[in-house]
Amino acid sequence: MSNGVENFQGSLLMVAAMAGFAMEDLFVKSMSQHMPVGEVLMLLGLGGTAIFAAFALKNGDRLFSRDLLAPAVIGRNFGELVGTLAFVCAIAFTPLAQASAILQATPLAVTLGAALFLGEKVGWRRWSAIMVGFAGVLVVIRPGTEGFSILSLFAVVAVVGLAARDVVTRRVPRTITSMQLATYGFATVIPAGAGLMVLQGPFVPPTALDYAQIAGALIFGTAGYYALIAAMRIGEVAVITPFRYTRLIFALIIGWAVFAEKPDLWTLVGGAIIVGSGLYTLARQRIRARANAAPAKA
């Protein structure tokens, strides 16, 4: 199969993965409108843990291993906990488009973390793109203006947590599989959700519709996860990664069509700045990879 066909298929899978994650966000936001966020997190954590534990066992992975106590695994789980908790709160308390626009800064934060903590070389062009992207986040949240809401900082905290998770993942022992990491990532959300429930209020008995929405969130989230893995395996990373930003498009559509949210001009402008900076950073990474590969071929 030619690279062109593989990249096309990989790009479609990446778009499908982002659509799946956007649908997951839809169900989470819908449930959080009448259920405590902690309860939503706890139910998602229980369901996600059960699903990925089943996949792990099917693949012959051990659910309990000394390697899972490695500092990198613990650090990754903490980043997952902070990122997931903050992003679910962002979805629940702020417009979906705004939360999703800020979330697009995660790859930039990962590049920053890799440079600061992993010693990855980042040139002045990518540093500039990172700074411009973070400026785009400020455009979205508009601190110091009438349009600023303290709740918008939930999405910023989510970016920090998820970026830390992705950076620390590079130090996870190779003996740990993706299914094991996913299982423990969801498991850490369960006590966090329970703790948040103590602060928010009493448990609200889920209705049949709530259980259906939990199932929908888990199905679309799991499908998105597998589509993402398949996309990364089929196509060239530099070609298909930019299609991650289609998640923002899906969020804009869902926010408008389902929740009657109309993003303001600053959210659109800031989102465009963040996405543009991310695309430029990816382009620079691709150029650098080609330059490093050229001497090896000579």
Side-chain angles (χ1 to χ4, degrees):
M1 188 182 297
S2 65
N3 285 340
V5 174
E6 291 176 341
N7 287 334
F8 179 71
Q9 291 180 341
S11 299
L12 289 180
L13 284 169
M14 181 62 76
V15 172
M18 296 304 106
F21 293 144
M23 288 298 296
E24 180 184 24
D25 295 343
L26 183 159
F27 289 121
V28 170
K29 186 173 182 67
S30 178
M31 287 184 293
S32 65
Q33 291 184 336
H34 65 277
M35 296 175 66
V37 174
E39 184 176 344
V40 174
L41 278 167
M42 189 172 64
L43 291 173
L44 287 173
L46 287 168
T49 301
I51 289 174
F52 283 102
F55 283 131
L57 292 173
K58 182 181 178 181
N59 293 340
D61 299 332
R62 297 173 58 187
L63 293 183
F64 302 100
S65 169
R66 292 180 62 88
D67 290 337
L68 293 170
L69 297 177
V73 176
I74 295 174
R76 184 193 184 279
N77 289 338
F78 181 74
E80 181 87 61
L81 186 154
V82 172
T84 302
L85 177 62
F87 188 60
V88 169
C89 287
I91 292 175
F93 302 132
T94 65
L96 188 59
Q98 183 187 74
S100 297
I102 296 172
L103 188 69
Q104 305 313 307
T106 303
L108 296 172
V110 171
T111 300
L112 174 64
L116 294 178
F117 301 108
L118 301 181
E120 182 175 305
K121 293 183 179 179
V122 175
W124 68 269
R125 293 181 179 85
R126 282 201 287 167
W127 277 116
S128 299
I130 291 171
M131 294 301 104
V132 170
F134 289 160
V137 173
L138 294 178
V139 171
V140 174
I141 63 177
R142 303 187 296 283
T145 69
E146 292 183 359
F148 172 71
S149 170
I150 192 70
L151 297 175
S152 63
L153 296 181
F154 277 123
V156 177
V157 174
V159 168
V160 174
L162 296 176
R165 176 201 65 184
D166 291 347
V167 171
V168 176
T169 297
R170 303 185 187 186
R171 290 289 183 262
V172 170
R174 294 184 180 274
T175 53
I176 303 297
T177 68
S178 297
M179 292 297 105
Q180 288 174 309
L181 287 176
T183 300
Y184 275 78
F186 272 100
T188 59
V189 174
I190 299 173
L196 190 58
M197 278 187 62
V198 174
L199 300 176
Q200 281 192 296
F203 180 83
V204 176
T207 64
L209 178 59
D210 292 329
Y211 282 119
Q213 291 189 104
I214 285 287
L218 291 171
I219 290 171
F220 277 102
T222 303
Y225 180 80
Y226 271 93
L228 177 63
I229 292 175
M232 299 300 285
R233 287 178 175 174
I234 292 176
E236 297 176 56
V237 174
V239 174
I240 65 175
T241 297
F243 288 93
R244 282 178 176 266
Y245 293 109
T246 56
R247 181 172 182 173
L248 178 55
I249 298 175
F250 291 123
L252 288 167
I253 295 172
I254 290 172
W256 170 75
V258 180
F259 301 106
E261 297 175 349
K262 296 181 179 180
D264 58 28
L265 177 62
W266 294 113
T267 297
L268 297 176
V269 171
I273 293 173
I274 296 168
V275 171
S277 300
L279 292 174
Y280 179 79
T281 301
L282 288 170
R284 291 302 307 175
Q285 289 175 338
R286 189 175 185 181
I287 292 172
R288 184 177 181 85
R290 286 181 175 178
N292 291 338
K297 294 181 179 179

